[in-house]
Amino acid sequence: DTAVSQTPKYLVTQMGNDKSIKCEQNLGHDTMYWYKQDSKKFLKIMFSYNNKELIINETVPNRFSPKSPDKAHLNLHINSLELGDSAVYFCASSQDLMTDGGYTFGSGTRLTVV
Amino acid sequence: KNEVEQSPQNLTAQEGEFITINCSYSVGISALHWLQQHPGGGIVSLFMLSSGKKKHGRLIATINIQEKHSSLHITASHPRDSAVYICAVRKSTSGSRLTFGEGTQLTVNP
């Protein structure tokens, strides 16, 4: 039973295409995140949703549009992909915004734009 | 300058050695996390600390809130401990999101 599952694991696509990455958690957590890990392995927050509501949009280009149909899902849609979007994208969840609880990460989606 | 700094960036050890990875932060925090990322990429949460010390198997994590410093220790290191270890903080002013250090690449040779 995977707690936070992301699909696909690998995504190779051409510049200019539109793609989506899906994330689902079965932990009953209220808060979900998208993090980006660059080529130097540095992780940075992109978005945070709490109970389907956007909480954080960390100056991410508006080509990136997260969508949360319910609190168990947080999908990431990327329009007009650019070479610089190549990275590993991690979905994560935590219990809620305030509790100092643990984080659970998905296994990551390696996006390669060619 | 990053708000979360880790040292060393790279660490090579022989099997059996005691290992310490350090993390310093410059902001007020409500919690600090130690994460492990294996080759192949998945991230696993090892510890979440807000004070004191935690132990799990051969791993020990400590935090000194006054000095804004945390350490991750691995006793009797093993090649399977080879991974990137990442320190991340939950800032007091930033809700639940994490701010990350740049990670420490640990290689344990047999």
Side-chain angles (χ1 to χ4, degrees):
Chain A
D1 283 349
T2 305
V4 179
S5 60
Q6 288 179 237
T7 54
K9 193 168 172 61
Y10 300 97
L11 186 51
V12 181
T13 188
Q14 289 190 318
M15 277 175 56
N17 283 351
D18 303 340
K19 289 292 178 188
S20 292
I21 307 171
K22 295 188 175 183
C23 179
E24 176 182 3
Q25 53 96 3
N26 62 6
L27 297 165
H29 286 170
D30 286 347
T31 309
M32 295 184 72
Y33 313 83
W34 279 108
Y35 288 94
K36 180 180 179 181
Q37 187 174 44
D38 62 23
S39 57
K40 295 184 180 177
K41 300 277 192 177
F42 188 62
L43 280 152
K44 197 167 180 185
I45 184 75
M46 297 176 70
F47 299 103
S48 166
Y49 268 71
N50 188 67
N51 266 320
K52 304 192 298 176
E53 286 190 30
L54 178 66
I55 303 298
I56 296 169
N57 177 346
E58 193 69 7
T59 59
V60 176
N62 58 14
R63 296 183 296 104
F64 290 78
S65 51
K67 289 211 171 30
S68 183
D70 55 62
K71 75 173 194 177
H73 295 84
L74 181 61
N75 304 322
L76 184 64
H77 188 75
I78 316 169
N79 289 327
S80 304
L81 277 154
E82 300 177 357
L83 293 176
D85 297 331
S86 296
V88 182
Y89 293 85
F90 284 95
C91 178
S93 72
S94 66
Q95 186 171 338
D96 54 43
L97 287 175
M98 301 308 296
T99 305
D100 282 334
Y103 259 64
T104 304
F105 286 84
S107 56
T109 296
R110 182 174 295 277
L111 171 64
T112 304
V113 183
V114 298
Chain B
K1 190 175 181 346
N2 287 344
E3 292 174 320
V4 181
E5 298 274 351
Q6 283 184 240
S7 62
Q9 275 192 304
N10 293 283
L11 181 54
T12 301
Q14 288 300 121
E15 185 171 357
E17 284 184 1
F18 181 83
I19 286 161
T20 296
I21 299 170
N22 295 301
C23 175
S24 296
Y25 52 92
S26 57
V27 293
I29 69 168
S30 59
L32 182 143
H33 295 250
W34 281 102
L35 310 170
Q36 181 192 57
Q37 186 173 25
H38 274 285
I43 295 175
V44 174
S45 179
L46 298 174
F47 294 104
M48 190 202 66
L49 294 163
S50 52
S51 64
K53 176 179 174 177
K54 286 190 177 179
K55 185 175 190 290
H56 182 68
R58 294 180 295 106
L59 301 177
I60 302 166
T62 64
I63 188 167
N64 185 319
I65 296 292
Q66 285 73 31
E67 293 186 4
K68 295 188 174 176
H69 182 269
S70 176
S71 293
L72 177 69
H73 305 286
I74 305 175
T75 61
S77 59
H78 189 276
R80 66 174 174 265
D81 297 326
S82 298
V84 176
Y85 292 84
I86 303 168
C87 174
V89 301
R90 179 179 159 145
K91 296 197 288 187
S92 306
T93 56
S94 295
S96 60
R97 64 174 163 170
L98 296 179
T99 300
F100 297 86
E102 293 189 357
T104 296
Q105 173 69 62
L106 171 65
T107 304
V108 182
N109 294 318

